[in-house]
Amino acid sequence: MNVENFLQLPITKDFTVVAGHNGLHKAVQNVEILDFEFSPDIPHVRDTIFTPNSVVLSSLLFAKQKPEYLLNAVKNLIELGASALAYKPVIFKDLPEEVLTYAEEQNFPILRFGGDEFFEKIILETMAYAKTQDYSFFLETILRRLMEEDVTQEQIKSILQQLNKPFEKYVFAANLRTSDPLHHSSMQSFFSLEPLLKSGLICSYKQSLFIIMTHASQQFQFEKVLDEWLALYAIPTDTITFGYSSSYDTETGLPSALREAFFASILAEIDRLPSCHYNNLASERLLIELYRKDRTFAMDYVNSFLAPLLDDKADSDLMETAKTYIIKKGNIKEVAVAQFCHPNTIRYRMAKIRQLVSLEDNDYVFYEHLAAAVKLYLLHSKLTVE
């Protein structure tokens, strides 16, 4: 966690940043209390005063009669690698201007308590949050490995043991994503489902979220149960796209379930659908595997076929029309509605596209080639922004 995360804890939400606004990115690994360590009148009681990357809490009692001690204390904290100083405004409501100026220049955050928060409770909440973040990082690392590496069956079993969950025979996965940046934070509400997941887990992956459940029966109605839980917790889903996997044996098919759900949600987003089941995809499966196994080859095909549309001098309307034409499965009327123009305009553009990329092909071959190239192009576009 960092200082900015620290300020988002429930107990610190009323804290104010009074200096060092450009230092909120600094890592926080500990929280400590400053009493009289920087008072020249009292000998130091520890060999090492404060550990690096700490938020230091203080009432500044040591400087009650000597405000000039404050600047030296801040300088020492910076030298010791502290991440921030948070003070309770009981002795000093406002710090001397020279202290604030120096802290601002050094990008050293100084935080003022919002009320009568207890030091001990701040420490406990911070450590609890850090522990949760460590586990989240561990989960994300595990999922990244399952998604991006070719793990063996033995490695899958080892990973399941590390997760230390009572996983059942069959695994089901859903991948959730939103294309609206304003709603990315709302994805966190899905973590409220965790108490229900006795044999599953929830984890972030890139710009998406996985909900994984396991069950003793392969006929488990995963989507229905998930919908019921979302309704029970009143979690809004109107801006969320869902991708669902097939069921797999947990000990052998967990990576497959994750990948299926992930790519299904991407295809749902491309087709502007609320959800997609991987087993309902057709030729898209071949394109997904081609892209996964040999991205360079796939993109060489895309760039060579669509080059006339992707050229900087090309009419941007043509590429947008090509994408919409494939998303709407060749329905001219629906493309016209989506592009806010007359169907004849779409027919003209499509004739121009065909002239540029595939003049000699018949209708079926032209559509087949264009669909493959556009879907790979859209798939690549989605994956490269994450």
Side-chain angles (χ1 to χ4, degrees):
M1 67 183 297
N2 57 26
V3 178
E4 188 171 13
N5 299 141
F6 173 79
L7 288 168
Q8 293 168 354
L9 297 174
I11 196 168
T12 60
K13 61 182 178 62
D14 294 326
F15 279 30
T16 304
V17 181
V18 297
H21 296 78
N22 291 329
L24 301 182
H25 64 280
K26 293 184 177 180
V28 175
Q29 297 177 352
N30 201 3
V31 181
E32 300 184 74
I33 298 173
L34 164 62
D35 287 318
F36 292 96
E37 283 80 358
F38 295 128
S39 173
D41 307 322
I42 299 178
H44 295 150
V45 293
R46 343 181 196 178
D47 292 334
T48 302
I49 307 176
F50 305 112
T51 56
N53 300 320
S54 292
V55 171
V56 178
L57 310 178
S58 180
S59 62
L60 306 181
L61 185 60
F62 68 91
K64 183 176 181 180
Q65 305 298 330
K66 300 279 188 177
E68 59 271 21
Y69 289 175
L70 293 173
L71 181 59
N72 184 62
V74 168
K75 289 181 177 179
N76 282 329
L77 288 174
I78 293 172
E79 290 175 3
L80 292 167
S83 297
L85 168 66
Y87 76 96
K88 183 176 286 192
V90 290
I91 307 300
F92 299 92
K93 181 178 180 182
D94 298 307
L95 299 187
E97 193 61 35
E98 62 174 351
V99 174
L100 299 178
T101 300
Y102 183 79
E104 192 70 33
E105 291 172 350
Q106 299 298 316
N107 297 324
F108 178 71
I110 296 181
L111 320 172
R112 181 168 57 208
F113 280 39
D116 192 29
E117 295 89 354
F118 291 104
F119 287 3
E120 293 78 7
K121 191 171 182 182
I122 293 172
I123 293 172
L124 288 173
E125 282 200 20
T126 304
M127 293 301 101
Y129 175 86
K131 185 176 180 181
T132 300
Q133 291 301 103
D134 287 344
Y135 183 67
S136 296
F137 178 76
F138 165 72
L139 281 183
E140 289 177 26
T141 302
I142 289 292
L143 255 70
R144 190 174 293 273
R145 185 180 179 196
L146 290 169
M147 284 287 296
E148 300 172 12
E149 298 179 18
D150 292 325
V151 293
T152 66
Q153 187 173 339
E154 288 304 313
Q155 288 173 324
I156 296 173
K157 288 182 179 180
S158 174
I159 287 170
L160 291 172
Q161 289 175 351
Q162 292 177 55
L163 292 172
N164 194 28
K165 283 262 193 174
F167 292 114
E168 301 281 357
K169 173 70 173 174
Y170 297 101
V171 63
F172 306 78
N175 184 259
L176 288 59
R177 62 181 56 243
T178 177
S179 56
D180 186 348
L182 295 176
H183 291 88
H184 275 296
S185 59
S186 67
M187 296 277 277
Q188 299 303 309
S189 62
F190 286 87
F191 282 96
S192 62
L193 299 176
E194 281 189 304
L196 302 174
L197 288 168
K198 303 300 182 185
S199 59
L201 53 89
I202 298 178
C203 180
S204 299
Y205 176 73
K206 295 186 175 180
Q207 299 297 317
S208 68
L209 190 73
F210 275 108
I211 298 179
I212 303 164
M213 295 188 200
T214 62
H215 199 270
S217 171
Q218 195 170 13
Q219 307 308 314
F220 175 59
Q221 295 183 308
F222 171 49
E223 185 179 357
K224 180 182 177 183
V225 171
L226 181 55
D227 286 344
E228 290 174 351
W229 287 1
L230 295 176
L232 177 65
Y233 279 75
I235 298 176
T237 60
D238 53 319
T239 63
I240 306 297
T241 299
F242 291 79
Y244 295 99
S245 74
S246 307
S247 62
Y248 282 91
D249 183 290
T250 304
E251 292 191 352
T252 59
L254 178 56
S256 296
L258 295 173
R259 290 177 189 138
E260 285 189 3
F262 180 74
F263 284 105
S265 70
I266 289 179
L267 265 295
E269 201 166 67
I270 288 173
D271 289 337
R272 300 163 193 171
L273 298 172
S275 66
C276 175
H277 293 258
Y278 189 84
N279 58 10
N280 290 337
L281 297 175
S283 59
E284 291 90 349
R285 296 195 202 184
L286 296 175
L287 298 177
I288 289 168
E289 288 306 307
L290 171 63
Y291 186 85
R292 281 191 59 241
K293 299 295 185 182
D294 197 337
R295 180 179 300 191
T296 301
F297 176 82
M299 294 314 297
D300 282 346
Y301 169 74
V302 170
N303 291 326
S304 62
F305 187 81
L306 296 179
L309 306 183
L310 297 173
D311 188 272
D312 291 338
K313 299 178 181 178
D315 184 347
S316 60
D317 286 340
L318 294 181
M319 188 60 198
E320 287 304 311
T321 299
K323 291 189 288 186
T324 309
Y325 183 76
I326 297 305
I327 291 171
K328 298 299 182 182
K329 297 177 172 55
N331 188 311
I332 294 292
K333 291 183 178 179
E334 291 185 8
V335 177
V337 171
Q339 295 279 291
F340 303 103
C341 58
H342 194 277
N344 286 342
T345 303
I346 300 302
R347 292 188 181 93
Y348 169 79
R349 290 178 185 172
M350 290 309 303
K352 183 70 173 177
I353 290 169
R354 184 167 178 175
Q355 185 180 30
L356 290 170
V357 303
S358 188
L359 180 60
E360 298 178 359
D361 292 334
N362 63 38
D363 291 347
Y364 298 107
V365 174
F366 166 65
Y367 184 85
E368 179 185 12
H369 288 174
L370 184 65
V374 167
K375 287 179 180 178
L376 282 170
Y377 173 84
L378 292 172
L379 183 65
H380 179 73
S381 298
K382 290 289 184 184
L383 292 172
T384 51
V385 299
E386 300 198 342

